[in-house]
Amino acid sequence: MERYHPVINLIYFGLVIGCSMVFLHPVCLFVSIVCAAGYTVTLFGFKKALKGFGVVMILMLLTALINPAFSHQGVTELMELPGGNMLTLESMLFGVAAAFMLGSTLLWFRAVSEILTSDKIVYLFGRAFPILGLLLSMILGFIPKVRKKYFEIAMCRAKELNTGNRFYRFKYKLSCYISNISVLITWILEDSIEMGRSMKGRGYGIYGRTRYTIYRFTKRDALMLLFILVTGIYVIAGAINGAVSWYYYPVTGGAGGGAYSISVYAVYAMLCFCPVFETIGAAVSQEMNGKRIRI
């Protein structure tokens, strides 16, 4: 998706993330998280994507465990908790659904941070909302910069962490973390001020300022936009008509396996799998073109 126009990226990810956060049907949740995980692997590679999967899995596990501990709705009682409340099957199922929704949303947002770079954010919002565009570009740009800067700051004191006894090392580590965070916050504030002054000096946000952009809306973008709109409208219409409706309280149930519901599931899977197929197809096409050139 990174090769498409920024408007295409904004519409696609906005639609997919919105559906992932709204649809609670088990089939839709499964499709969303599988597609998000697959796209994360194709985008970052398996080793790099695996590091982020660990954090997402921990958050999903915590979400699945927290909901039945605090929510006791539902009619199917399984056991009595130490506090006297009942553990219900419906609360456990809703906790699993919320965990899948959170995991898929986080994975989609990880892909968004890679695809919608700061220059694309400025292009999308710079003309109509210059302050918002600058703010979003700074936030997305700060995430990798802050991580790299903190690593540089921490490396300066890494040599002294293994000296002294255990209590001294713990005390020194704690003081180092606090000091590193303080230095990092100071650097963030100074960098944001410098960026704001630089953008102001270039006339950013001034009415009538001309802009140069490398993005052009091509026929390929138009075809992708048509596909997104057709599939998105079909899925939204199916959701309005109850094809993907699902409820967990007081009993679990919802739309079953009717022909219309199955068609909505299939179209939703096509929509979510679109970037995976596009990335794989682009890689295969590039490899075949490389072989032709070598021949």
Side-chain angles (χ1 to χ4, degrees):
M1 295 296 291
E2 62 268 19
R3 299 188 301 161
Y4 287 96
H5 196 273
V7 175
I8 304 297
N9 300 146
L10 181 65
I11 295 175
Y12 177 78
F13 286 111
L15 179 62
V16 171
I17 293 175
C19 292
S20 300
M21 297 174 66
V22 173
F23 295 164
L24 291 178
H25 197 284
V27 176
C28 296
L29 292 173
F30 178 77
V31 168
S32 180
I33 197 167
V34 169
C35 296
Y39 186 47
T40 303
V41 172
T42 58
L43 191 62
F44 296 96
F46 183 77
K47 291 184 178 180
K48 190 175 180 180
L50 194 61
K51 297 179 180 179
F53 287 163
V55 179
V56 173
M57 290 295 293
I58 293 174
L59 293 175
M60 290 177 62
L61 181 61
L62 291 175
T63 304
L65 294 176
I66 288 174
N67 186 76
F70 291 94
S71 177
H72 311 289
Q73 304 180 52
V75 298
T76 309
E77 298 179 350
L78 300 178
M79 60 177 293
E80 184 177 354
L81 298 175
N85 296 314
M86 297 302 299
L87 176 66
T88 62
L89 176 63
E90 289 77 13
S91 63
M92 294 180 62
L93 293 177
F94 185 79
V96 174
F100 272 74
M101 180 185 66
L102 177 63
S104 61
T105 304
L106 291 176
L107 292 176
W108 282 121
F109 269 113
R110 188 182 180 189
V112 170
S113 65
E114 182 71 16
I115 300 299
L116 284 179
T117 56
S118 58
D119 56 332
K120 291 183 179 180
I121 295 294
V122 172
Y123 171 80
L124 290 170
F125 301 100
R127 187 180 297 272
F129 309 101
I131 298 178
L132 177 62
L134 179 60
L135 182 62
L136 291 176
S137 65
M138 290 173 64
I139 292 174
L140 293 177
F142 271 153
I143 295 174
K145 289 172 62 177
V146 167
R147 186 183 304 170
K148 181 180 179 181
K149 191 65 178 180
Y150 181 81
F151 179 76
E152 295 176 358
I153 296 172
M155 287 298 295
C156 297
R157 298 181 178 178
K159 298 179 181 179
E160 304 179 20
L161 291 178
N162 297 323
T163 61
N165 55 35
R166 185 175 300 177
F167 176 76
Y168 173 80
R169 289 198 302 269
F170 174 76
K171 182 179 178 181
Y172 185 77
K173 283 183 179 181
L174 183 61
S175 63
C176 281
Y177 288 148
I178 297 174
S179 179
N180 292 344
I181 294 297
S182 177
V183 173
L184 184 65
I185 293 175
T186 303
W187 174 82
I188 290 173
L189 295 175
E190 292 178 353
D191 189 74
S192 60
I193 293 174
E194 291 178 0
M195 180 177 292
R197 290 176 177 176
S198 175
M199 298 297 287
K200 183 178 180 181
R202 297 174 183 177
Y204 180 78
I206 297 178
Y207 178 78
R209 176 178 177 265
T210 58
R211 294 173 176 83
Y212 171 76
T213 177
I214 60 175
Y215 304 110
R216 297 290 183 271
F217 197 87
T218 61
K219 181 179 179 181
R220 184 167 173 269
D221 297 317
L223 292 176
M224 178 57 71
L225 179 61
L226 179 63
F227 172 79
I228 294 173
L229 292 178
V230 171
T231 54
I233 291 173
Y234 189 84
V235 170
I236 293 174
I240 295 174
N241 293 325
V244 294
S245 63
W246 195 266
Y247 48 87
Y248 293 88
Y249 301 116
V251 292
T252 303
Y260 183 54
S261 296
I262 293 176
S263 67
V264 175
Y265 305 151
V267 174
Y268 183 61
M270 291 171 56
L271 177 66
C272 292
F273 267 114
C274 174
V276 179
F277 293 150
E278 194 275 335
T279 303
I280 295 175
V284 172
S285 177
Q286 185 177 2
E287 184 177 356
M288 292 181 62
N289 291 335
K291 291 182 179 179
R292 292 174 183 175
I293 292 175
R294 286 195 296 271
I295 292 175

